[in-house]
Coordinates of all heavy atoms in Angstrom, one line a residue:
G1 N 9.3 -17.7 2.6 CA 8.1 -17.3 1.8 C 8.4 -17.2 0.4 O 9.5 -16.9 0.0
T2 N 7.4 -17.4 -0.4 CA 7.5 -17.2 -1.9 C 6.8 -15.9 -2.3 O 6.4 -15.1 -1.4 CB 6.9 -18.4 -2.6 OG1 5.5 -18.4 -2.3 CG2 7.5 -19.7 -2.1
S3 N 6.7 -15.7 -3.5 CA 5.9 -14.6 -4.0 C 4.4 -14.8 -4.0 O 3.7 -14.1 -4.6 CB 6.4 -14.1 -5.4 OG 6.2 -15.2 -6.3
A4 N 4.0 -15.9 -3.4 CA 2.6 -16.2 -3.3 C 1.8 -15.1 -2.6 O 0.6 -15.0 -2.9 CB 2.4 -17.5 -2.6
H5 N 2.4 -14.3 -1.8 CA 1.7 -13.3 -1.0 C 1.2 -12.2 -2.0 O 0.3 -11.5 -1.7 CB 2.6 -12.7 0.1 CG 3.7 -11.9 -0.4 ND1 5.0 -12.5 -0.6 CD2 3.9 -10.6 -0.7 CE1 5.8 -11.5 -1.0 NE2 5.2 -10.3 -1.0
G6 N 1.8 -12.1 -3.2 CA 1.4 -11.1 -4.2 C 0.0 -11.4 -4.6 O -0.9 -10.5 -4.5
G7 N -0.3 -12.6 -5.1 CA -1.6 -13.0 -5.5 C -2.6 -13.0 -4.4 O -3.8 -12.7 -4.6
M8 N -2.2 -13.5 -3.3 CA -3.1 -13.6 -2.1 C -3.4 -12.1 -1.6 O -4.6 -11.9 -1.2 CB -2.4 -14.3 -1.0 CG -3.3 -14.7 0.1 SD -4.7 -15.8 -0.4 CE -3.9 -17.1 -1.1
G9 N -2.5 -11.2 -1.8 CA -2.8 -9.8 -1.4 C -3.9 -9.2 -2.3 O -4.8 -8.5 -1.9
E10 N -3.8 -9.6 -3.7 CA -4.8 -9.1 -4.6 C -6.2 -9.7 -4.3 O -7.2 -9.1 -4.3 CB -4.4 -9.5 -6.0 CG -3.3 -8.7 -6.6 CD -2.8 -9.2 -7.9 OE1 -3.7 -9.8 -8.7 OE2 -1.7 -9.0 -8.3
L11 N -6.2 -11.0 -3.9 CA -7.4 -11.7 -3.5 C -8.0 -11.1 -2.3 O -9.2 -10.9 -2.1 CB -7.1 -13.2 -3.3 CG -8.3 -14.1 -3.1 CD1 -9.3 -14.0 -4.3 CD2 -7.9 -15.6 -2.9
L12 N -7.1 -10.6 -1.3 CA -7.6 -10.0 -0.1 C -8.3 -8.6 -0.5 O -9.4 -8.3 0.0 CB -6.4 -9.6 0.8 CG -6.7 -8.8 2.1 CD1 -7.5 -9.6 3.0 CD2 -5.3 -8.5 2.7
G13 N -7.7 -7.9 -1.5 CA -8.4 -6.7 -2.0 C -9.7 -7.0 -2.6 O -10.7 -6.2 -2.3
L14 N -9.8 -8.0 -3.4 CA -11.1 -8.4 -4.0 C -12.1 -8.8 -2.9 O -13.3 -8.4 -3.0 CB -11.0 -9.5 -5.0 CG -10.2 -9.2 -6.3 CD1 -9.9 -10.4 -7.1 CD2 -11.0 -8.2 -7.1
A15 N -11.7 -9.5 -1.9 CA -12.6 -10.0 -0.8 C -13.1 -8.8 -0.1 O -14.3 -8.7 0.3 CB -11.8 -10.9 0.1
D16 N -12.2 -7.8 0.1 CA -12.6 -6.6 0.8 C -13.6 -5.8 0.0 O -14.7 -5.3 0.5 CB -11.4 -5.7 1.1 CG -11.8 -4.4 1.9 OD1 -12.4 -4.5 2.9 OD2 -11.5 -3.3 1.3
A17 N -13.3 -5.7 -1.3 CA -14.2 -4.8 -2.2 C -15.6 -5.4 -2.3 O -16.6 -4.7 -2.4 CB -13.5 -4.8 -3.6
Y18 N -15.7 -6.8 -2.3 CA -17.0 -7.4 -2.5 C -17.6 -7.9 -1.1 O -18.5 -8.7 -1.1 CB -16.9 -8.5 -3.5 CG -16.6 -8.0 -4.9 CD1 -15.3 -8.1 -5.4 CD2 -17.6 -7.5 -5.6 CE1 -15.1 -7.6 -6.7 CE2 -17.3 -6.9 -6.9 CZ -16.1 -7.0 -7.4 OH -15.8 -6.5 -8.7
T19 N -17.0 -7.4 0.0 CA -17.4 -7.8 1.3 C -17.6 -9.3 1.5 O -18.6 -9.7 2.0 CB -18.6 -7.0 1.8 OG1 -19.7 -7.2 0.9 CG2 -18.3 -5.5 1.9
L20 N -16.6 -10.0 1.0 CA -16.6 -11.5 1.2 C -15.8 -11.8 2.4 O -14.6 -12.1 2.4 CB -16.0 -12.1 0.0 CG -16.7 -11.9 -1.4 CD1 -15.9 -12.4 -2.5 CD2 -18.1 -12.4 -1.4
D21 N -16.5 -11.7 3.6 CA -15.7 -11.7 4.9 C -15.1 -13.0 5.1 O -13.9 -13.1 5.6 CB -16.7 -11.4 6.0 CG -17.2 -10.0 6.0 OD1 -16.5 -9.1 5.4 OD2 -18.3 -9.6 6.5
R22 N -15.6 -14.1 4.8 CA -15.0 -15.4 5.0 C -13.7 -15.6 4.2 O -12.7 -16.1 4.6 CB -16.0 -16.6 4.8 CG -17.1 -16.7 5.9 CD -18.1 -17.7 5.6 NE -17.5 -19.0 5.5 CZ -18.2 -20.1 5.1 NH1 -19.4 -19.9 4.7 NH2 -17.7 -21.3 5.0
L23 N -13.8 -15.2 2.9 CA -12.7 -15.2 2.0 C -11.6 -14.3 2.5 O -10.4 -14.6 2.5 CB -13.1 -14.8 0.6 CG -12.0 -14.8 -0.4 CD1 -11.3 -16.2 -0.6 CD2 -12.5 -14.4 -1.8
K24 N -12.0 -13.1 3.0 CA -11.1 -12.1 3.5 C -10.3 -12.7 4.7 O -9.1 -12.6 4.8 CB -11.8 -10.8 3.9 CG -10.9 -9.7 4.3 CD -11.8 -8.4 4.5 CE -11.0 -7.3 5.1 NZ -11.8 -6.1 5.2
T25 N -11.0 -13.3 5.6 CA -10.4 -13.9 6.8 C -9.4 -15.0 6.4 O -8.3 -15.1 6.9 CB -11.5 -14.5 7.7 OG1 -12.4 -13.4 8.1 CG2 -10.9 -15.1 9.0
L26 N -9.9 -15.8 5.4 CA -9.0 -16.9 4.9 C -7.7 -16.3 4.3 O -6.6 -16.8 4.6 CB -9.7 -17.7 3.8 CG -8.9 -18.9 3.2 CD1 -8.6 -20.0 4.3 CD2 -9.7 -19.5 2.1
C27 N -7.8 -15.3 3.5 CA -6.6 -14.6 2.9 C -5.7 -14.1 4.0 O -4.5 -14.2 4.0 CB -7.1 -13.5 2.0 SG -7.9 -14.0 0.5
E28 N -6.3 -13.4 5.1 CA -5.5 -12.9 6.1 C -4.8 -14.0 6.8 O -3.6 -13.8 7.1 CB -6.4 -12.2 7.2 CG -6.9 -10.8 6.8 CD -7.6 -10.1 7.9 OE1 -6.9 -9.5 8.8 OE2 -8.8 -10.1 7.9
N29 N -5.4 -15.1 7.1 CA -4.8 -16.2 7.8 C -3.6 -16.7 7.0 O -2.5 -17.1 7.6 CB -5.8 -17.3 8.2 CG -6.7 -16.8 9.3 OD1 -6.4 -16.0 10.1 ND2 -7.9 -17.5 9.3
I30 N -3.8 -16.8 5.7 CA -2.7 -17.4 4.9 C -1.5 -16.3 4.9 O -0.3 -16.7 5.1 CB -3.2 -17.6 3.5 CG1 -4.1 -18.8 3.5 CG2 -2.0 -17.9 2.5 CD1 -4.9 -19.1 2.2
L31 N -1.9 -15.0 4.7 CA -0.8 -14.1 4.7 C -0.1 -13.9 6.0 O 1.2 -13.6 6.0 CB -1.4 -12.7 4.2 CG -1.8 -12.6 2.7 CD1 -2.6 -11.4 2.5 CD2 -0.6 -12.8 1.8
I32 N -0.7 -14.1 7.1 CA -0.1 -14.0 8.4 C 1.1 -15.0 8.5 O 2.1 -14.7 9.0 CB -1.1 -14.2 9.5 CG1 -1.9 -12.9 9.7 CG2 -0.4 -14.7 10.8 CD1 -3.1 -13.1 10.7
H33 N 0.9 -16.2 7.9 CA 1.9 -17.2 7.9 C 3.1 -16.9 6.9 O 4.1 -17.6 6.9 CB 1.3 -18.5 7.6 CG 0.5 -19.1 8.8 ND1 -0.4 -18.3 9.5 CD2 0.4 -20.3 9.4 CE1 -1.0 -18.9 10.4 NE2 -0.6 -20.2 10.4
E34 N 2.9 -15.9 6.0 CA 3.9 -15.6 5.0 C 4.8 -14.4 5.5 O 5.7 -14.1 4.8 CB 3.2 -15.2 3.7 CG 2.4 -16.2 3.0 CD 3.3 -17.2 2.3 OE1 4.3 -16.8 1.7 OE2 3.1 -18.4 2.4
V35 N 4.4 -13.8 6.5 CA 5.1 -12.6 7.0 C 6.6 -12.9 7.4 O 6.9 -13.8 8.1 CB 4.4 -11.9 8.2 CG1 5.2 -10.8 8.8 CG2 3.0 -11.4 7.8
E36 N 7.5 -12.1 6.8 CA 8.9 -12.1 7.1 C 9.4 -10.7 6.9 O 8.7 -9.8 6.4 CB 9.6 -13.1 6.2 CG 9.4 -13.0 4.8 CD 9.9 -14.1 3.9 OE1 9.7 -15.3 4.3 OE2 10.5 -13.9 2.8
A37 N 10.7 -10.5 7.3 CA 11.2 -9.2 7.3 C 11.2 -8.5 5.9 O 10.9 -7.3 5.8 CB 12.7 -9.2 7.8
S38 N 11.4 -9.3 4.9 CA 11.4 -8.8 3.5 C 10.1 -8.3 3.0 O 10.1 -7.6 2.0 CB 12.1 -9.8 2.6 OG 11.3 -11.0 2.5
N39 N 9.0 -8.8 3.5 CA 7.7 -8.5 2.9 C 6.7 -7.9 3.9 O 5.6 -7.5 3.5 CB 7.0 -9.7 2.3 CG 6.6 -10.8 3.3 OD1 6.5 -10.6 4.5 ND2 6.4 -12.0 2.8
V40 N 7.1 -7.7 5.2 CA 6.1 -7.3 6.2 C 5.6 -5.9 5.9 O 4.4 -5.7 6.1 CB 6.7 -7.4 7.6 CG1 7.9 -6.4 7.8 CG2 5.7 -7.1 8.7
C41 N 6.4 -5.0 5.4 CA 5.9 -3.6 5.1 C 4.9 -3.6 3.9 O 3.9 -2.9 4.0 CB 7.0 -2.7 4.8 SG 8.0 -2.4 6.4
T42 N 5.1 -4.4 2.9 CA 4.2 -4.6 1.8 C 2.9 -5.1 2.3 O 1.8 -4.6 1.9 CB 4.8 -5.5 0.7 OG1 6.0 -5.0 0.2 CG2 3.8 -5.7 -0.5
L43 N 3.0 -6.2 3.1 CA 1.7 -6.8 3.7 C 1.0 -5.8 4.6 O -0.2 -5.8 4.6 CB 2.1 -8.1 4.4 CG 2.5 -9.2 3.4 CD1 3.0 -10.4 4.2 CD2 1.4 -9.6 2.5
L44 N 1.7 -5.0 5.4 CA 1.2 -4.1 6.2 C 0.4 -3.0 5.4 O -0.7 -2.6 5.8 CB 2.2 -3.4 7.1 CG 1.7 -2.2 8.1 CD1 0.8 -2.8 9.0 CD2 2.9 -1.6 8.8
K45 N 1.0 -2.5 4.3 CA 0.2 -1.6 3.4 C -1.0 -2.2 2.9 O -2.1 -1.5 2.9 CB 1.1 -1.2 2.3 CG 2.2 -0.1 2.6 CD 2.9 0.4 1.5 CE 2.9 -0.3 0.2 NZ 3.8 0.2 -0.8
Q46 N -1.0 -3.5 2.5 CA -2.2 -4.2 2.0 C -3.3 -4.3 3.1 O -4.4 -4.0 2.9 CB -1.8 -5.5 1.4 CG -1.1 -5.4 0.1 CD -0.7 -6.8 -0.5 OE1 -0.6 -7.8 0.2 NE2 -0.6 -6.8 -1.8
A47 N -2.8 -4.7 4.3 CA -3.7 -4.9 5.4 C -4.4 -3.5 5.7 O -5.6 -3.5 6.0 CB -2.9 -5.4 6.6
D48 N -3.6 -2.5 5.7 CA -4.2 -1.1 6.0 C -5.2 -0.7 4.9 O -6.3 -0.2 5.2 CB -3.0 -0.1 6.1 CG -3.5 1.2 6.6 OD1 -4.1 1.3 7.7 OD2 -3.3 2.2 5.8
R49 N -4.8 -0.9 3.6 CA -5.6 -0.5 2.5 C -7.0 -1.3 2.5 O -8.0 -0.7 2.2 CB -4.9 -0.8 1.2 CG -5.7 -0.3 0.0 CD -4.9 -0.6 -1.3 NE -3.6 -0.2 -1.3 CZ -2.5 -0.9 -1.7 NH1 -2.7 -2.2 -2.1 NH2 -1.3 -0.5 -1.6
Y50 N -6.9 -2.5 2.9 CA -8.1 -3.4 2.8 C -8.8 -3.7 4.1 O -9.6 -4.6 4.3 CB -7.8 -4.7 2.1 CG -7.2 -4.5 0.8 CD1 -6.0 -5.2 0.4 CD2 -7.8 -3.7 -0.2 CE1 -5.4 -5.0 -0.8 CE2 -7.2 -3.5 -1.4 CZ -6.0 -4.2 -1.7 OH -5.5 -4.0 -3.0
Q51 N -8.5 -2.9 5.2 CA -9.0 -3.0 6.5 C -9.0 -4.4 7.0 O -10.0 -5.0 7.6 CB -10.5 -2.5 6.5 CG -10.7 -1.0 6.3 CD -11.0 -0.7 4.9 OE1 -11.8 -1.3 4.2 NE2 -10.3 0.4 4.3
A52 N -7.8 -5.0 6.9 CA -7.6 -6.4 7.3 C -6.9 -6.3 8.7 O -5.7 -6.3 8.8 CB -6.7 -7.2 6.4
A53 N -7.7 -6.2 9.7 CA -7.2 -5.8 11.1 C -6.3 -6.9 11.7 O -5.3 -6.6 12.3 CB -8.4 -5.6 12.0
E54 N -6.6 -8.2 11.5 CA -5.8 -9.3 12.0 C -4.4 -9.2 11.4 O -3.4 -9.4 12.1 CB -6.4 -10.6 11.9 CG -7.6 -10.8 12.7 CD -7.4 -10.9 14.2 OE1 -6.3 -11.5 14.5 OE2 -8.2 -10.3 14.9
L55 N -4.3 -9.1 10.1 CA -3.1 -9.1 9.4 C -2.3 -7.8 9.8 O -1.1 -7.9 10.0 CB -3.3 -9.1 7.9 CG -2.1 -9.0 7.0 CD1 -1.1 -10.2 7.3 CD2 -2.5 -9.0 5.5
K56 N -3.0 -6.7 9.9 CA -2.3 -5.4 10.3 C -1.7 -5.6 11.7 O -0.5 -5.2 11.9 CB -3.3 -4.3 10.2 CG -2.6 -2.9 10.5 CD -3.6 -1.8 10.4 CE -2.9 -0.4 10.7 NZ -3.8 0.7 10.5
N57 N -2.4 -6.1 12.6 CA -1.9 -6.3 14.0 C -0.7 -7.2 14.0 O 0.3 -6.9 14.6 CB -3.0 -6.8 14.9 CG -4.1 -5.8 15.3 OD1 -3.8 -4.6 15.1 ND2 -5.2 -6.3 15.6
H58 N -0.8 -8.3 13.2 CA 0.3 -9.3 13.1 C 1.6 -8.5 12.5 O 2.7 -8.7 13.1 CB -0.1 -10.5 12.3 CG 1.0 -11.5 12.2 ND1 1.2 -12.4 13.3 CD2 1.9 -11.7 11.3 CE1 2.2 -13.2 13.0 NE2 2.7 -12.8 11.8
C59 N 1.4 -7.8 11.5 CA 2.5 -7.1 10.9 C 3.2 -6.1 11.8 O 4.4 -5.9 11.9 CB 2.1 -6.4 9.6 SG 1.7 -7.5 8.2
M60 N 2.3 -5.3 12.5 CA 2.8 -4.3 13.5 C 3.6 -5.0 14.6 O 4.7 -4.6 14.9 CB 1.7 -3.5 14.1 CG 0.9 -2.6 13.1 SD 1.9 -1.2 12.5 CE 1.7 -0.1 13.9
N61 N 3.1 -6.1 15.1 CA 3.8 -6.9 16.2 C 5.2 -7.4 15.6 O 6.2 -7.3 16.3 CB 3.0 -8.0 16.7 CG 1.9 -7.5 17.6 OD1 2.0 -6.5 18.2 ND2 0.8 -8.3 17.6
F62 N 5.1 -7.9 14.4 CA 6.3 -8.4 13.7 C 7.4 -7.3 13.6 O 8.6 -7.5 13.9 CB 6.0 -9.0 12.4 CG 7.2 -9.7 11.7 CD1 7.4 -11.0 11.9 CD2 8.1 -9.0 11.0 CE1 8.5 -11.7 11.3 CE2 9.2 -9.6 10.4 CZ 9.4 -11.0 10.6
I63 N 7.0 -6.2 13.2 CA 7.9 -5.0 13.0 C 8.5 -4.6 14.3 O 9.7 -4.4 14.4 CB 7.3 -3.8 12.3 CG1 6.9 -4.2 10.8 CG2 8.1 -2.6 12.4 CD1 6.0 -3.2 10.1
R64 N 7.7 -4.6 15.4 CA 8.2 -4.2 16.7 C 9.2 -5.2 17.2 O 10.2 -4.9 17.7 CB 7.0 -4.1 17.7 CG 6.2 -2.8 17.7 CD 5.4 -2.7 18.9 NE 4.4 -3.7 19.0 CZ 3.2 -3.6 18.6 NH1 2.8 -2.6 17.9 NH2 2.3 -4.6 18.8
K65 N 8.9 -6.5 17.0 CA 9.8 -7.6 17.5 C 11.0 -7.7 16.7 O 12.1 -8.2 17.2 CB 9.1 -8.9 17.5 CG 8.0 -9.0 18.6 CD 7.3 -10.3 18.5 CE 6.1 -10.3 19.5 NZ 5.2 -11.5 19.3
H66 N 11.0 -7.4 15.4 CA 12.1 -7.7 14.5 C 12.5 -6.4 13.8 O 12.9 -6.4 12.6 CB 11.7 -8.7 13.5 CG 11.2 -10.0 14.1 ND1 12.0 -11.0 14.6 CD2 10.0 -10.5 14.2 CE1 11.3 -11.9 15.1 NE2 10.1 -11.7 14.8
F67 N 12.5 -5.3 14.5 CA 12.7 -4.0 13.8 C 14.1 -4.0 13.2 O 14.2 -3.4 12.0 CB 12.6 -2.8 14.8 CG 12.7 -1.5 14.1 CD1 11.5 -1.0 13.4 CD2 13.8 -0.8 14.1 CE1 11.6 0.2 12.8 CE2 13.9 0.4 13.4 CZ 12.8 0.9 12.8
D68 N 15.1 -4.5 13.8 CA 16.5 -4.5 13.3 C 16.5 -5.2 11.9 O 17.2 -4.7 11.0 CB 17.5 -5.0 14.3 CG 17.1 -6.5 14.7 OD1 15.9 -6.8 14.8 OD2 18.1 -7.2 15.0
Q69 N 15.8 -6.3 11.8 CA 15.8 -7.1 10.5 C 15.0 -6.3 9.5 O 15.5 -6.2 8.3 CB 15.2 -8.4 10.7 CG 16.0 -9.4 11.6 CD 15.2 -10.7 11.9 OE1 14.4 -11.1 11.1 NE2 15.3 -11.2 13.1
V70 N 13.9 -5.7 9.9 CA 13.0 -5.0 8.9 C 13.8 -3.7 8.4 O 13.7 -3.4 7.2 CB 11.7 -4.6 9.5 CG1 10.8 -3.7 8.6 CG2 10.9 -5.9 10.0
A71 N 14.5 -3.1 9.3 CA 15.2 -1.9 9.0 C 16.3 -2.2 7.9 O 16.7 -1.2 7.2 CB 15.8 -1.3 10.2
R72 N 16.8 -3.4 7.9 CA 17.8 -3.7 6.9 C 17.3 -4.0 5.5 O 18.0 -4.1 4.5 CB 18.7 -4.9 7.3 CG 19.6 -4.6 8.5 CD 20.6 -5.7 8.7 NE 20.1 -6.9 9.3 CZ 20.1 -7.1 10.6 NH1 20.6 -6.3 11.4 NH2 19.5 -8.3 11.1
T73 N 15.9 -4.0 5.4 CA 15.3 -4.2 4.1 C 14.9 -2.8 3.5 O 15.1 -1.8 4.2 CB 14.0 -5.1 4.2 OG1 13.0 -4.3 4.9 CG2 14.3 -6.4 5.0
N74 N 14.2 -2.8 2.4 CA 13.8 -1.6 1.8 C 12.3 -1.2 2.3 O 11.8 -0.2 1.8 CB 13.8 -1.7 0.3 CG 13.9 -0.3 -0.4 OD1 14.5 0.6 0.2 ND2 13.3 -0.2 -1.5
G75 N 11.8 -2.1 3.1 CA 10.4 -2.0 3.5 C 10.0 -0.7 4.1 O 8.9 -0.1 3.8
L76 N 10.8 -0.1 5.0 CA 10.4 1.1 5.7 C 10.3 2.2 4.7 O 9.5 3.2 4.8 CB 11.4 1.5 6.8 CG 11.3 0.5 8.0 CD1 12.4 0.9 9.0 CD2 10.0 0.4 8.6
N77 N 11.2 2.2 3.6 CA 11.1 3.2 2.6 C 9.8 3.1 1.8 O 9.2 4.1 1.4 CB 12.3 3.0 1.6 CG 13.6 3.4 2.2 OD1 13.6 4.1 3.2 ND2 14.6 2.8 1.6
E78 N 9.3 1.9 1.7 CA 8.0 1.6 1.0 C 6.9 2.3 1.8 O 5.9 2.8 1.2 CB 7.6 0.2 1.0 CG 8.0 -0.6 -0.2 CD 7.5 -2.0 -0.1 OE1 6.3 -2.3 -0.1 OE2 8.3 -2.9 -0.1
L79 N 7.0 2.3 3.1 CA 5.9 2.9 3.9 C 5.8 4.4 3.8 O 4.8 5.0 4.2 CB 6.1 2.6 5.4 CG 5.9 1.1 5.8 CD1 6.1 0.9 7.3 CD2 4.5 0.6 5.4
Q80 N 6.9 5.1 3.2 CA 6.8 6.5 3.0 C 5.7 6.8 2.0 O 5.2 8.0 2.0 CB 8.1 7.0 2.3 CG 9.2 7.0 3.4 CD 10.5 7.4 2.8 OE1 10.7 7.6 1.6 NE2 11.5 7.7 3.6
E81 N 5.2 5.9 1.2 CA 4.1 6.1 0.3 C 2.8 6.3 1.1 O 1.8 6.8 0.6 CB 3.9 4.9 -0.6 CG 5.0 4.6 -1.6 CD 5.0 3.2 -2.2 OE1 3.9 2.6 -2.2 OE2 6.0 2.8 -2.7
V82 N 2.7 5.8 2.3 CA 1.5 6.0 3.2 C 2.0 6.6 4.5 O 2.3 5.9 5.5 CB 0.9 4.6 3.5 CG1 -0.4 4.8 4.1 CG2 0.8 3.8 2.2
P83 N 2.2 7.9 4.5 CA 2.8 8.6 5.7 C 2.0 8.3 7.0 O 2.7 8.2 8.0 CB 2.6 10.1 5.3 CG 2.6 10.1 3.8 CD 1.9 8.8 3.4
S84 N 0.7 8.2 7.0 CA 0.0 7.9 8.2 C 0.4 6.5 8.8 O 0.5 6.4 10.0 CB -1.5 7.9 8.0 OG -1.9 7.0 7.0
L85 N 0.6 5.6 7.9 CA 1.0 4.2 8.3 C 2.4 4.2 8.9 O 2.7 3.6 9.9 CB 0.9 3.3 7.1 CG 0.9 1.8 7.5 CD1 -0.1 1.4 8.5 CD2 0.7 1.0 6.2
L86 N 3.4 5.0 8.2 CA 4.7 5.1 8.7 C 4.7 5.7 10.0 O 5.5 5.3 10.9 CB 5.6 5.9 7.7 CG 7.0 6.1 8.0 CD1 7.8 4.8 8.2 CD2 7.7 7.0 7.0
L87 N 3.9 6.8 10.2 CA 3.8 7.4 11.5 C 3.3 6.4 12.6 O 3.8 6.3 13.7 CB 2.9 8.6 11.4 CG 2.8 9.5 12.8 CD1 4.1 10.0 13.2 CD2 1.8 10.6 12.5
E88 N 2.3 5.6 12.2 CA 1.7 4.6 13.2 C 2.8 3.6 13.6 O 2.9 3.3 14.7 CB 0.6 3.9 12.5 CG -0.3 3.1 13.4 CD -1.5 2.5 12.7 OE1 -1.9 3.0 11.6 OE2 -2.1 1.5 13.2
V89 N 3.6 3.1 12.6 CA 4.7 2.2 12.9 C 5.7 2.9 13.8 O 6.1 2.3 14.8 CB 5.4 1.7 11.6 CG1 6.7 1.0 11.9 CG2 4.4 0.8 10.8
T90 N 6.1 4.1 13.5 CA 7.1 4.8 14.3 C 6.6 5.0 15.7 O 7.4 4.7 16.7 CB 7.4 6.2 13.6 OG1 7.8 6.0 12.3 CG2 8.5 6.9 14.4
K91 N 5.4 5.4 15.9 CA 4.9 5.6 17.2 C 4.8 4.3 18.0 O 5.1 4.2 19.2 CB 3.4 6.2 17.2 CG 3.4 7.7 16.9 CD 2.0 8.2 16.9 CE 1.9 9.7 16.7 NZ 0.5 10.1 16.6
S92 N 4.4 3.2 17.3 CA 4.3 1.9 17.9 C 5.6 1.4 18.4 O 5.8 0.9 19.5 CB 3.6 0.9 16.9 OG 3.6 -0.3 17.5
C93 N 6.6 1.6 17.5 CA 8.0 1.1 17.9 C 8.6 1.9 19.0 O 9.2 1.4 19.9 CB 8.9 1.1 16.7 SG 8.5 -0.2 15.5
A94 N 8.3 3.2 19.0 CA 8.8 4.1 20.1 C 8.1 3.7 21.4 O 8.8 3.7 22.5 CB 8.6 5.5 19.7
F95 N 6.8 3.5 21.4 CA 6.0 3.3 22.5 C 6.4 1.9 23.2 O 6.6 1.8 24.4 CB 4.5 3.3 22.3 CG 3.7 3.0 23.5 CD1 3.5 3.9 24.5 CD2 3.1 1.7 23.6 CE1 2.7 3.7 25.6 CE2 2.3 1.5 24.8 CZ 2.1 2.4 25.7
F96 N 6.5 0.9 22.4 CA 6.8 -0.5 22.8 C 8.2 -0.7 23.0 O 8.6 -1.8 23.6 CB 6.2 -1.5 21.9 CG 4.7 -1.6 22.0 CD1 3.8 -1.0 21.1 CD2 4.1 -2.3 23.1 CE1 2.5 -1.0 21.2 CE2 2.7 -2.4 23.2 CZ 1.9 -1.7 22.3
G97 N 9.1 0.1 22.4 CA 10.5 -0.1 22.4 C 11.1 -0.3 23.8 O 12.0 -1.2 24.1
G98 N 10.6 0.5 24.8 CA 11.2 0.4 26.1 C 10.5 -0.6 27.0 O 10.9 -0.9 28.1
Q99 N 9.5 -1.3 26.4 CA 8.7 -2.3 27.2 C 9.1 -3.7 26.9 O 8.5 -4.6 27.5 CB 7.2 -2.1 27.0 CG 6.8 -0.7 27.5 CD 5.3 -0.6 27.3 OE1 4.5 -1.5 27.1 NE2 4.8 0.7 27.4
Q100 N 10.0 -4.0 26.0 CA 10.4 -5.3 25.6 C 11.3 -5.9 26.8 O 12.1 -5.2 27.4 CB 11.2 -5.4 24.3 CG 10.3 -5.0 23.1 CD 11.1 -5.0 21.8 OE1 12.3 -5.2 21.9 NE2 10.4 -4.9 20.8
S101 N 11.1 -7.2 27.0 CA 11.9 -7.9 28.0 C 13.1 -8.5 27.5 O 13.2 -8.8 26.3 CB 11.0 -8.9 28.7 OG 10.5 -9.8 27.7

């Protein structure tokens, strides 16, 4: 991934602010393909802030599946800025942690 997700995240915010649903969906779909361990927490914060449910679900699933990789980045520290989101991630990982095959 490149830093393209930065501009796309801003566009996602504008699409949310002006209720441009088709543009918002397009931005979400592009960002979903940009998700990696180094940016998943940033994208999760944006998804949460802009009510981008598809992107948020994708990020949550990514964190659950690749928690060890995400934990080695600074991403989880970023989530401290949004305590409710950090709690949601923690609960999700705890709940699904024992159910992985």
Side-chain angles (χ1 to χ4, degrees):
T2 64
S3 63
H5 70 269
M8 195 57 60
E10 289 176 24
L11 190 57
L12 177 65
L14 289 170
D16 181 59
Y18 294 101
T19 58
L20 303 171
D21 292 336
R22 289 174 60 193
L23 179 59
K24 187 173 172 181
T25 300
L26 179 66
C27 292
E28 279 189 83
N29 289 336
I30 292 170
L31 288 170
I32 281 170
H33 290 43
E34 294 285 320
V35 172
E36 54 191 40
S38 63
N39 67 17
V40 66
C41 293
T42 300
L43 292 173
L44 179 60
K45 283 189 339 187
Q46 290 179 333
D48 187 60
R49 183 181 312 133
Y50 303 130
Q51 291 97 42
E54 290 296 318
L55 179 59
K56 184 174 178 179
N57 288 336
H58 184 79
C59 290
M60 293 291 280
N61 287 332
F62 186 93
I63 292 170
R64 280 195 298 269
K65 289 178 185 169
H66 305 285
F67 187 81
D68 56 331
Q69 293 173 34
V70 176
R72 287 195 287 265
T73 71
N74 203 31
L76 294 176
N77 292 337
E78 265 185 66
L79 290 181
Q80 290 178 349
E81 299 167 14
V82 190
S84 60
L85 194 55
L86 181 58
L87 183 61
E88 193 175 339
V89 167
T90 305
K91 285 182 175 178
S92 177
C93 288
F95 180 76
F96 286 99
Q99 297 184 13
Q100 290 179 351
S101 53

